[in-house]
Amino acid sequence: FDSSEFRCTPLPGARRKQQGLAHRHRIGIFISHISSEKPIALRLQQLLRESNSESVPIFVSSDYTSIKSGDEWYDAILNGLKTSEVTIVLLSEHSVEARWIKFEAGFAKGQESRVIPVVWRGFSKGSIGFPLSQLQARDLRDEGDVRALFGTLESSCLISLNEALV
């Protein structure tokens, strides 16, 4: 067996197939937020839980259940990002430049999760800034945007959401 004659050439579409297989193991939603904006992250988590009958996992690092006591928090966050189909990035004037927000959004995008910037607290979609400004953002103050957000979550996570709670 002469190693100079052995060549391994990936089949066309092999990378897509690998990504597709990994993609099927992702379920749920990750809500990225800064610690001072915990109340809105928890309220959004509660609203999503109340409106979906499938009990899709919703990771919020500050909810006391997404990261169990004794868990290594950094690994738990990475695992939450790796296993989530959608990452909602809560943005305000206080969080838009936060390193953790940028890290979580970038990691999720690198995992080929759907990343959805969501503005609130008087922050406008036009103030998001690059690179998140390249993604279609939603505004929690706009009923149409909230309905569109729910529609995207339904199609991405294959769940049904009760829009009556919006």
Side-chain angles (χ1 to χ4, degrees), residues 91-93 96 119-129 137-139 141:
L91 297 174
S92 70
E93 67 181 70
V96 71
V119 299
W120 77 290
R121 207 182 219 186
F123 194 66
S124 71
K125 291 188 258 184
S127 300
I128 292 174
R138 299 296 178 202
D139 189 329
R141 298 164 297 179

Side-chain angles (χ1 to χ4, degrees), residues 45-64:
Q45 179 188 47
Q46 177 187 12
L47 180 66
L48 291 170
R49 281 190 176 149
E50 289 172 358
S51 64
N52 90 75
S53 59
E54 289 88 357
S55 298
V56 66
I58 304 167
F59 187 101
V60 176
S61 62
S62 59
D63 70 358
Y64 300 110

Side-chain angles (χ1 to χ4, degrees), residues 49-140:
R49 281 190 176 149
E50 289 172 358
S51 64
N52 90 75
S53 59
E54 289 88 357
S55 298
V56 66
I58 304 167
F59 187 101
V60 176
S61 62
S62 59
D63 70 358
Y64 300 110
T65 58
S66 293
I67 303 175
K68 309 285 187 265
S69 300
D71 281 357
E72 294 185 25
W73 61 267
Y74 182 75
D75 290 341
I77 289 171
L78 292 182
N79 189 54
L81 287 163
K82 287 177 188 175
T83 59
S84 293
E85 188 67 32
V86 174
T87 297
I88 295 173
V89 183
L90 290 175
L91 297 174
S92 70
E93 67 181 70
H94 305 290
S95 65
V96 71
E97 293 299 324
R99 286 182 293 189
W100 271 107
I101 293 291
K102 291 179 178 183
F103 172 81
E104 290 173 348
F107 190 94
K109 190 73 174 150
Q111 292 291 307
E112 297 185 358
S113 294
R114 178 176 292 278
V115 176
I116 306 172
V118 175
V119 299
W120 77 290
R121 207 182 219 186
F123 194 66
S124 71
K125 291 188 258 184
S127 300
I128 292 174
F130 190 80
L132 288 176
S133 62
Q134 302 303 300
L135 304 173
Q136 182 62 47
R138 299 296 178 202
D139 189 329
L140 288 181

Side-chain angles (χ1 to χ4, degrees), residues 27-29 45-58 150-151 153-163 165:
I27 58 168
I29 301 164
Q45 179 188 47
Q46 177 187 12
L47 180 66
L48 291 170
R49 281 190 176 149
E50 289 172 358
S51 64
N52 90 75
S53 59
E54 289 88 357
S55 298
V56 66
I58 304 167
F150 271 46
L153 294 175
E154 285 181 320
S155 63
S156 296
C157 298
L158 304 176
I159 58 174
S160 295
L161 295 173
N162 179 358
E163 287 191 19
L165 293 173

